[in-house]
Amino acid sequence: MLIRENIELLERTYLSPFATLSENSKGRDREEPQCDIRPVFQRDRDRILHCKSFRRLKHKTQVFLTPRGDHYRTRLTHTLEVSQNARTIAKALRLNEDLVEAIALGHDLGHTPFGHAGEHMLNSICEGGFKHNEQSVRIVEILEKNGKGLNLTWEVRDGILNHQTRLMPSTMEGKIVRLSDKIAYINHDIDDAIRGKVLSEEELPAEYREILGNSTRTRLNTLIHNIITNSLGKNDICMSEDVELAMKGLRKFMFEHVYRNPMAKGEEERAKDLLNRLFYYYNKNIDQLPGQYLEMMEKGEERERVVCDYIAGMTDRYAIAKFEEYFMPKAWQIN
């Protein structure tokens, strides 16, 4: 059966000269037989989609902690929106859609409970620091599948590691995800902030709305079309200067009025204290960790890093449940 080979041939003949071809991947850390149906990046996408860390994203905070409402974004819905934006751009530019999707689905696996508040807390107390992009790579290389990792290709791991603003991926597909991440969170966080009455559409700076649009739908349309138009035929993923500046200005506005807004972030200090107390509890009571993490220490991993791994993998509600178990007084039981 030559299904995979036929797909690779289709990539060679159809995709852009700037695309990353599956057959040209730098490979995996551990060699393994090829799938007879799926090229390597499609296989990576499937591995991420089926892993436990991906499923836990549905109960991890995006921006609003414990929101009252079913329509606020979670880390999982954010991931899906990033993936969809990225796939749209990749398809239009004839780049490798499987690679884009794998990177997008894996880029936030390492996020902590309680969003960036949790990340900042672990970064401040864990020796060596904590960054969610590095933790995402650690998950797919080490933590998933009981310490075996997912054995993903180099290109997918590179895109996951370098999706943040201060970094730059090595592939065109990784660059698409890097921009699509910002496009997704700026726009859906505006939508959620309006839903939560933190701000209104009219409060967004007029100079940015004039360039990008007056609704989430029109802004997404503007940004995605602009990237496609300005990247066609180029060995880079880029935007026009006016649209890029407007997007950066809107991102700065969101940091000032939403991401640091006491109304939206009022519970963050409690969340940070919760994780801080869990961190020191597990360091003192290391036998409370699951066996997989104890085995990691037996193999040479530092205690603090293993505790950090365990806490970072928690969902919001699991972290709260563990806090209640260890620190809240139990009600008297009447027989």
Side-chain angles (χ1 to χ4, degrees):
M1 187 160 48
L2 301 174
I3 294 177
R4 190 198 77 248
E5 290 89 339
N6 287 336
I7 295 173
E8 292 172 346
L9 174 61
L10 186 62
E11 287 185 359
R12 285 199 305 273
T13 55
Y14 173 74
L15 292 186
S16 162
F18 308 119
T20 306
L21 300 183
S22 301
E23 64 184 2
N24 292 338
S25 170
K26 293 183 180 180
R28 310 178 187 278
D29 281 348
R30 300 187 303 277
E31 288 189 21
E32 56 185 67
Q34 286 267 31
C35 176
D36 60 339
I37 297 173
R38 298 165 298 166
V40 289
F41 302 139
Q42 185 182 350
R43 205 174 181 189
D44 284 359
R45 178 204 64 191
D46 295 350
R47 290 180 181 185
I48 293 169
L49 186 66
H50 291 289
C51 77
K52 291 187 291 186
S53 300
F54 183 80
R55 294 196 293 276
R56 290 199 298 269
L57 295 178
K58 67 181 177 180
H59 293 303
K60 291 194 177 191
T61 291
Q62 174 61 24
V63 171
F64 291 85
L65 296 178
T66 58
R68 294 180 180 177
D70 295 331
H71 298 133
Y72 290 91
R73 270 69 170 193
T74 65
R75 190 62 62 180
L76 178 61
T77 59
H78 161 73
T79 294
L80 296 176
E81 291 185 39
V82 173
S83 177
Q84 188 56 51
N85 292 341
R87 287 178 58 201
T88 298
I89 296 168
K91 186 183 288 289
L93 296 176
R94 291 189 296 119
L95 296 173
N96 196 315
E97 199 173 340
D98 289 337
L99 176 54
V100 157
E101 190 173 17
I103 295 170
L105 293 181
H107 83 283
D108 270 356
L109 292 178
H111 254 297
T112 63
F114 310 117
H116 286 285
E119 179 175 12
H120 295 155
M121 172 51 66
L122 290 185
N123 186 52
S124 68
I125 60 178
C126 184
E127 187 175 349
F130 181 94
K131 294 182 176 63
H132 80 268
N133 59 315
E134 295 175 358
Q135 187 69 11
S136 295
V137 175
R138 183 169 168 81
I139 284 172
V140 300
E141 289 185 342
I142 299 173
L143 299 179
E144 268 293 337
K145 296 184 69 174
N146 296 317
K148 297 178 182 177
L150 301 181
N151 198 29
L152 304 182
T153 56
W154 181 90
E155 291 80 7
V156 172
R157 288 177 287 140
D158 171 79
I160 291 172
L161 179 65
N162 294 300
H163 75 269
Q164 292 189 290
T165 302
R166 59 188 173 81
L167 304 170
M168 187 60 69
S170 301
T171 65
M172 293 277 278
E173 290 80 4
K175 292 177 183 179
I176 289 176
V177 175
R178 177 177 173 273
L179 271 182
S180 296
D181 183 35
K182 296 164 187 57
I183 291 171
Y185 72 67
I186 290 170
N187 284 284
H188 65 51
D189 291 350
I190 290 173
D191 191 41
D192 281 356
I194 292 172
R195 177 175 291 106
K197 297 182 172 22
V198 175
L199 54 77
S200 66
E201 178 69 36
E202 292 69 30
E203 290 178 275
L204 299 176
E207 64 267 32
Y208 306 142
R209 287 191 287 131
E210 183 177 347
I211 295 172
L212 300 177
N214 293 301
S215 69
T216 297
R217 177 178 175 274
T218 55
R219 281 188 289 271
L220 284 170
N221 190 61
T222 297
L223 288 162
I224 290 171
H225 274 78
N226 189 265
I227 290 174
I228 293 168
T229 301
N230 286 276
S231 303
L232 276 169
K234 296 179 182 176
N235 190 18
D236 198 12
I237 303 300
C238 49
M239 310 167 75
S240 64
E241 185 177 3
D242 60 333
V243 169
E244 183 176 12
L245 289 174
M247 185 183 78
K248 288 180 177 178
L250 197 54
R251 181 175 180 267
K252 182 179 179 183
F253 173 87
M254 290 296 290
F255 270 94
E256 294 171 351
H257 293 85
V258 175
Y259 302 141
R260 302 190 183 109
N261 185 300
M263 181 177 174
K265 312 298 273 184
E267 297 299 307
E268 276 198 356
E269 290 308 312
R270 292 184 182 183
K272 288 180 179 179
D273 181 62
L274 182 155
L275 294 183
N276 184 59
R277 293 178 71 178
L278 284 179
F279 182 83
Y280 286 108
Y281 175 85
Y282 283 120
N283 267 287
K284 192 174 181 180
N285 302 276
I286 200 67
D287 58 311
Q288 294 293 318
L289 293 183
Q292 172 191 344
Y293 296 89
L294 299 178
E295 289 174 10
M296 289 169 61
M297 286 190 296
E298 291 174 4
K299 295 177 181 177
E301 291 280 0
E302 295 293 331
R303 174 186 292 229
E304 284 197 358
R305 177 53 56 185
V306 172
V307 170
C308 192
D309 287 335
Y310 183 52
I311 293 176
M314 292 179 174
T315 62
D316 295 19
R317 63 185 187 179
Y318 187 75
I320 292 170
K322 283 300 179 183
F323 181 86
E324 290 177 346
E325 178 183 340
Y326 299 140
F327 298 108
M328 299 295 287
K330 305 293 188 297
W332 286 101
Q333 182 177 357
I334 301 176
N335 294 322

